[in-house]
Amino acid sequence: MFKKRMKRITPGQMIILSFATMIFIGACLLMLPFSTNDGKGAPFLDALFTSTSASCVTGLIMHDTAQYWSPFGQLIILILIQIGGMGVITMAILLFVLGGKKIGFKQRYFMQQSISAPKLGGIIRNTKWIIKATICVEALGAILLGIRFLPRFGLVKGLWYSIFHSISAFCNAGFDLMGTNQAYSSLTGYAGDILVSNVIAALIVLGGLGFFVWKDVVEYKHHLHKYSLQSKVVLFTTATLLIISTLYFFINDFSHWNMRLADQINVSIFQAVSPRTAGFNTIDLNKMNQSSIFFMTLLMLIGGSPQGTAGGFKTTTLAVLILSIRAVFNHKQNPQCFGRRISMDTLNNATALFMLFMVLFFTGTFLISAFDQLPILDALFEAASAIGTVGLTLGITPTLSSASHCILIFLMFFGRIGGLTLLLAISKHQVVANTNLPQENITIG
C-alpha cells in the first residue's frame, strides 16, 4: 500500500514532503540537551521555528544563534541551511549518484522540478555542476572572510565563523554568529568593513541569481546575445533593482547619517542587497525612516530569482507583470521581452502565483497585527521577511506570541517551496512550470 502511494506522489508533493521531513528532523535534533548552551534543549516551538527558518533559508530567529545554540546546535543549523538552499531532493539524489545507484526517470523528473531546470535532459550533469560550483563559491567566500575573522577570533573559531557565514550568505539564509557580545547584532560591527560587507553581499547576489544564470555567464561570458531569455531577464531585473535600491537608500536615508561618504555608500549597497532574501544587516533597521522600511518590505517580497537559493515571488514574475502592463499601454496582445513574445500561459501563471503570494502575505500580516497588537507597518515587515525568506527583522520576532510564531513558520515554509510547487501539489492536472517561448524558456515561480 505504501509503495503504491509513493508511486502516485507528484513532484510538488514530494518537494513539500521532503522539506517538511527535514524540518521535523531538524527540530528534533535541536531539542536535544546538547544543542543549547544551557544544556536543557530547546522547547518544541522554538526548535521548530529555528529548524524551519534554517531549512527555508530565512534567518528569522527566536534566540540569538551564538548565545543560545551550542556548537552542535549551530552545526545542525548550518547543515539545514546548506540542504535547504540546495534543495532536499537535489542533495538526496546526489547521494544516490555518489553511491553508484541508478537514477530512474521519476527521480530525474523530481530533480527537474526541485531545481526548476528548463529541461529533463542532462539533469544529473547539471546537478553535479551546481554542487561543484556551490562548493567553489562557498570555499572562496570562506577564504576571503577568513582574512578578517582568523586574526580576530583565532584559528578554530575564525575558521568556523568564515565557513558558517559564507554558507549562510550564499544560501541567502541570514543566520550569523556575531551576537556573542550583543544579541541580534548581525553584521552591524562590520558596517565600515569593505571586505566583510562586500564579500557577504557578493555571496548573496550570486546565490540569488540562480544556477542556470551562472552557466550562461561562465559559458558565454560577455556575449550577452547568446544568453537564454531567462538569464537576460534575471540579470537585467536584478541589476535594475540593485541600482534603484542603492540610490534610494543613499538619498533617502544614509546620506543624512553621521558617517564617512565611503561608509554611506557601502551601507547603502549592502542594504539594497540584503532584502533580496538574505537577512543580514549592517545597521540598526529601527534607525531608518518609515519610508525606507516600507521600501525594504517591497524588496523582500520581490526576493531573488528562480533556480537559486532566494525566496520571494521572484524577479522574473515581476518582470513579466511589468511587461504585461507595458503591452496594455502599447495596445499589444502579448508582452515582449528582448524581441521575444511572452505567451499568455506564462502571464497567467505569473498573475496567479503573484496573487496567491500576496493573499497569504496580507492574511499573515493582519493576523500577526491582531494577535500581538502591532502597528501594521511592523507586521508587514515581519510577514514580508518570512514569506520572502529574508530574515530581516525590526527586533520583534522573539517577542511575538506563539500564534504569530506559527504564522511565521507557515509563511517561511510557503515562501521556500513557492507557489508553483504548492499548485503542483494540490492540482489534479499538470501545471506548466516552464512555459515555452520561441526556442527558449522562462521560469516564473
Side-chain angles (χ1 to χ4, degrees):
M1 181 67 70
F2 178 75
K3 289 185 177 180
K4 289 183 178 180
R5 289 182 178 179
M6 287 301 294
K7 287 182 179 180
R8 292 198 299 266
I9 198 168
T10 66
Q13 292 168 346
M14 176 60 75
I15 293 172
I16 291 176
L17 181 62
S18 62
F19 267 98
T21 301
M22 180 175 68
I23 289 170
F24 177 75
I25 293 174
C28 291
L29 291 173
L30 293 175
M31 291 174 66
L32 296 174
F34 43 84
S35 291
T36 57
N37 285 323
D38 61 9
K40 298 179 181 179
F44 174 71
L45 183 59
D46 296 29
L48 180 64
F49 188 96
T50 304
S51 181
T52 303
S53 183
S55 301
C56 299
V57 289
T58 303
L60 287 175
I61 53 176
M62 294 173 63
H63 306 281
D64 183 83
T65 307
Q67 292 190 9
Y68 186 78
W69 301 104
S70 68
F72 176 79
Q74 294 171 16
L75 178 61
I76 295 301
I77 290 172
L78 187 63
I79 293 173
L80 292 174
I81 289 171
Q82 185 70 86
I83 297 176
M86 298 304 300
V88 186
I89 294 177
T90 301
M91 298 297 288
I93 294 183
L94 176 66
L95 294 177
F96 271 78
V97 174
L98 294 176
K101 295 186 178 181
K102 187 178 180 180
I103 305 299
F105 174 82
K106 189 171 186 178
Q107 288 77 21
R108 293 171 188 266
Y109 183 53
F110 283 160
M111 187 185 295
Q112 180 196 13
Q113 298 299 321
S114 177
I115 63 176
S116 300
K119 59 182 179 180
L120 191 61
I123 192 67
I124 300 298
R125 183 176 64 256
N126 285 333
T127 302
K128 290 181 179 179
W129 185 90
I130 289 171
I131 298 296
K132 290 178 182 177
T134 297
I135 293 174
C136 290
V137 172
E138 291 177 346
L140 178 60
I143 291 172
L144 293 174
L145 291 175
I147 296 174
R148 192 69 79 238
F149 293 160
L150 288 175
R152 178 177 179 182
F153 300 110
L155 178 60
V156 176
K157 188 175 181 180
L159 185 61
W160 171 239
Y161 271 44
S162 300
I163 294 172
F164 188 98
H165 291 92
S166 179
I167 293 175
S168 182
F170 177 77
C171 291
N172 283 208
F175 279 82
D176 70 88
L177 301 176
M178 298 301 176
T180 306
N181 296 323
Q182 182 181 354
Y184 311 110
S185 59
S186 191
L187 299 177
T188 53
Y190 294 90
D193 193 314
I194 295 178
L195 175 64
V196 172
S197 60
N198 282 285
V199 168
I200 294 292
L203 289 169
I204 293 168
V205 173
L206 287 173
L209 282 177
F211 303 115
F212 292 97
V213 175
W214 292 10
K215 289 204 70 175
D216 277 355
V217 173
V218 171
E219 185 174 353
Y220 301 120
K221 297 180 175 60
H222 62 279
H223 301 290
L224 300 180
H225 64 281
K226 294 183 179 181
Y227 286 22
S228 67
L229 178 59
Q230 174 88 7
S231 296
K232 291 177 183 178
V233 171
V234 166
L235 291 172
F236 179 80
T237 307
T238 299
T240 302
L241 287 173
L242 289 177
I243 292 171
I244 292 175
S245 303
T246 300
L247 291 174
Y248 181 89
F249 287 129
F250 178 78
I251 296 171
N252 191 53
D253 233 304
F254 301 123
S255 62
H256 309 298
W257 286 34
N258 184 25
M259 58 175 63
R260 297 180 306 164
L261 177 61
D263 291 342
Q264 292 173 347
I265 295 174
N266 200 49
V267 168
S268 299
I269 293 173
F270 192 90
Q271 296 313 135
V273 171
S274 191
R276 310 300 310 290
T277 82
F280 295 102
N281 58 284
T282 55
I283 45 88
D284 184 353
L285 299 181
N286 287 292
K287 293 181 180 179
M288 298 177 68
N289 61 51
Q290 294 291 288
S291 60
S292 292
I293 292 296
F294 182 73
F295 184 68
M296 193 174 290
T297 302
L298 298 179
L299 291 176
M300 290 193 293
L301 290 174
I302 297 170
S305 303
Q307 304 165 342
T309 59
F313 62 76
K314 303 297 189 295
T315 54
T316 47
T317 302
L318 174 67
V320 168
L321 293 176
I322 292 176
L323 290 170
S324 67
I325 295 173
R326 188 183 71 173
V328 171
F329 281 103
N330 291 335
H331 303 288
K332 293 184 178 180
Q333 186 173 2
N334 291 94
Q336 291 189 349
C337 183
F338 294 105
R340 294 190 174 275
R341 182 179 63 86
I342 298 177
S343 70
M344 290 305 298
D345 284 339
T346 300
L347 177 57
N348 290 338
N349 283 343
T351 304
L353 293 177
F354 174 76
M355 290 304 300
L356 175 61
F357 193 92
M358 297 308 292
V359 166
L360 291 176
F361 163 62
F362 281 118
T363 301
T365 295
F366 294 143
L367 290 175
I368 291 173
S369 179
F371 288 148
D372 289 85
Q373 299 300 301
L374 290 176
I376 195 66
L377 183 59
D378 290 355
L380 281 168
F381 192 91
E382 301 296 313
S385 183
I387 199 169
T389 69
V390 182
L392 291 174
T393 177
L394 297 176
I396 62 177
T397 293
T399 65
L400 295 176
S401 63
S402 296
S404 291
H405 283 142
C406 290
I407 293 170
L408 291 178
I409 288 173
F410 172 78
L411 291 178
M412 288 189 289
F413 186 76
F414 171 80
R416 182 63 184 100
I417 64 172
L420 183 63
T421 300
L422 182 62
L423 292 177
L424 282 168
I426 64 178
S427 176
K428 296 181 180 179
H429 304 287
Q430 181 64 38
V431 179
V432 180
N434 303 311
T435 305
N436 290 328
L437 295 174
Q439 300 179 351
E440 299 194 61
N441 297 323
I442 182 170
T443 307
I444 51 85

